[in-house]
Amino acid sequence: MINRRKFITASALLLALDKKSIASSLPNEVNKPIVISTWDFGVAANADAWKILIKNGRALDAVEQGVWVPEADESNQSVGYGGLPDRDGKVTLDACIMDENGNIGAVLALEHIKHPISVARKVMEKTPHVMLAGDGALQFALEQGFKKENLLTPSSEKAWKAWLKTAKYEPMMNVENKLYDKAAPQKLPGNQYNHDTIGMIAMDVKGNLSGACTTSGMAYKLHGRIGDSPIIGAGLYIDNEIGGATSTGVGEEVVRNVGSFLVVELMRQGYSPEDACKEAVMRIIRKKPEIAKNIQVGFLAMNKNGEYGAYAIQRGFSYAVCDRMKQDLVIKGKSYY
Ligand code: SD4
């Protein structure tokens, strides 16, 4: 008679072997499709991206459609329609997009167009250029059939007018327990809820990566100021062999360090997504510790296996993940402080 314990051990072994062989024969040892994006509001954006990914759609279409959600959301005062204006009361939008073939498109300081990400895609697909700025970007958008709209909502206008009373430019970031009041951002002094770009990275069923990044930038910035978000390599970078990265926070520090490109290159050297994000954050801190103490910068990254991670200077950075396992996962990113 077969000893019961031996039998159990043997079946457990078989089971383990079986799982292993099943896993290695499955095409999705790689966690795909998958989409990740910055901040809690990424959940809603990911949900729209997922609708495309789950139907075997292209990652590029998924990221474009995904970031449409915060771009159109009037209550979101840091992306697209309803974004907080610059110090002259103008809503100027920055966005970029990058596909699996290294194609890129960006718009900088674009006014009056609700979905700058789609204009960025048109720049990528319909022009020999990679970036269009200001009036030229608007002219191009109108030629492409985009509608001219007023993007300054009454609540953003009110916040700007309140800010004008002191007109102090003090970018305060999403620091946990200090300023973050999602329920009523307009209640913050001078409306300092002036952050929260959406950066999104997706991998489709074919294993191709694309990314999008879109923002109204730092609230009450100088007219014409450009942050990291529309700058390929700074606010976003995709390398279809390695992975992708995106950033949020004070763009000047990200641009100085070519942050997203750095994160991808670190992953190329074997860093995990989280470690790569951490090292990029540490560069910022090491170079300018006095500045870094008082600002927020966060990086989010994904590699070709569908592994992801993030790291920020300050607490309070979160990101959203949507894959076959879970569709509305929000993860608190680790941070230096
Ligand atoms: C910028 N990086 O314009 C953007 C703003 C941002 O979270 O991400 N805030 O510098």
Side-chain angles (χ1 to χ4, degrees):
M1 202 177 72
I2 194 169
N3 168 311
R4 191 175 140 75
R5 185 182 293 160
K6 269 191 187 152
F7 175 76
I8 292 172
T9 318
S11 2
L13 260 174
L14 265 176
L15 206 72
L17 268 176
D18 205 36
K19 268 193 190 155
K20 211 175 157 205
S21 57
I22 290 171
S24 54
S25 65
L26 278 178
N28 59 351
E29 262 187 334
V30 172
N31 182 20
K32 64 183 181 176
I34 176 169
V35 55
I36 58 174
S37 56
T38 51
W39 306 109
D40 298 21
F41 60 51
V43 171
N46 287 353
D48 269 23
W50 186 251
K51 287 181 198 156
I52 292 174
L53 293 173
I54 201 63
K55 284 191 216 135
N56 295 351
R58 190 177 169 201
L60 183 70
D61 296 324
V63 295
E64 182 187 8
Q65 281 310 300
V67 303
W68 264 45
V69 176
E71 279 186 343
D73 180 358
E74 134 163 33
S75 69
N76 181 328
Q77 292 184 296
S78 48
V79 181
Y81 176 60
L84 290 170
D86 62 20
R87 86 178 176 176
D88 298 346
K90 293 178 173 148
V91 180
T92 65
L93 305 178
D94 295 337
C96 73
I97 195 159
M98 184 161 192
D99 76 5
E100 72 275 19
N101 300 312
N103 295 313
I104 56 176
V107 286
L108 292 69
L110 173 63
E111 290 181 57
H112 307 302
I113 304 289
K114 199 185 232 170
H115 291 297
I117 199 66
S118 296
V119 186
R121 183 166 176 179
K122 292 275 188 220
V123 171
M124 175 171 93
E125 291 176 342
K126 305 269 183 208
T127 80
H129 309 306
V130 295
M131 291 189 216
L132 288 177
D135 288 348
L138 177 60
Q139 184 187 332
F140 170 73
L142 297 176
E143 281 163 14
Q144 291 295 316
F146 289 85
K147 201 170 93 196
K148 190 169 179 179
E149 295 178 64
N150 173 25
L151 304 180
L152 186 64
T153 53
S155 87
S156 286
E157 188 171 11
K158 199 169 149 208
W160 168 61
K161 288 197 170 139
W163 174 80
L164 277 179
K165 287 184 190 141
T166 54
K168 249 197 191 160
Y169 181 70
E170 275 180 340
M172 297 297 290
M173 288 294 107
N174 186 350
V175 179
E176 204 169 53
N177 301 330
K178 249 189 180 170
L179 288 169
Y180 195 47
D181 186 353
K182 243 192 332 181
Q186 64 280 9
K187 283 196 190 140
L188 297 172
N191 198 336
Q192 298 190 56
Y193 184 81
N194 59 8
H195 50 80
D196 289 14
T197 295
I198 186 149
M200 178 180 277
I201 302 160
M203 178 158 53
D204 59 30
V205 171
K206 287 187 181 154
N208 283 326
L209 290 163
S210 290
C213 187
T214 175
T215 189
S216 51
M218 305 299 294
Y220 319 130
K221 59 196 174 184
L222 288 181
H223 183 60
R225 177 267 186 190
I226 308 294
D228 57 324
S229 307
I231 308 295
I232 292 290
L236 177 75
Y237 196 71
I238 300 290
D239 183 322
N240 209 39
E241 274 182 6
I242 305 298
T246 189
S247 64
T248 179
V250 176
E252 281 74 2
E253 300 315 311
V254 179
V255 173
R256 282 194 178 103
N257 291 278
V258 200
S260 292
F261 181 72
L262 174 60
V263 171
V264 172
E265 286 305 299
L266 289 166
M267 290 196 291
R268 187 192 303 281
Q269 290 169 28
Y271 282 65
S272 69
E274 183 183 306
D275 287 349
C277 291
K278 183 174 181 183
E279 176 55 25
V281 161
M282 293 314 296
R283 292 267 175 110
I284 293 174
I285 295 173
R286 282 196 295 264
K287 270 189 199 163
K288 295 192 185 284
E290 286 312 308
I291 289 179
K293 238 194 273 174
N294 298 313
I295 62 161
Q296 176 65 303
V297 169
F299 291 103
L300 173 65
M302 179 161 78
N303 66 18
K304 275 295 268 190
N305 293 328
E307 295 157 345
Y308 48 81
Y311 201 83
I313 300 179
Q314 313 285 349
R315 281 185 301 156
F317 177 45
S318 62
Y319 63 100
V321 179
C322 178
D323 62 11
R324 287 188 197 274
M325 254 89 74
K326 196 147 173 28
Q327 254 96 77
D328 56 359
L329 185 64
V330 174
I331 298 179
K332 269 181 174 236
K334 292 188 188 156
S335 63
Y336 181 76
Y337 287 109

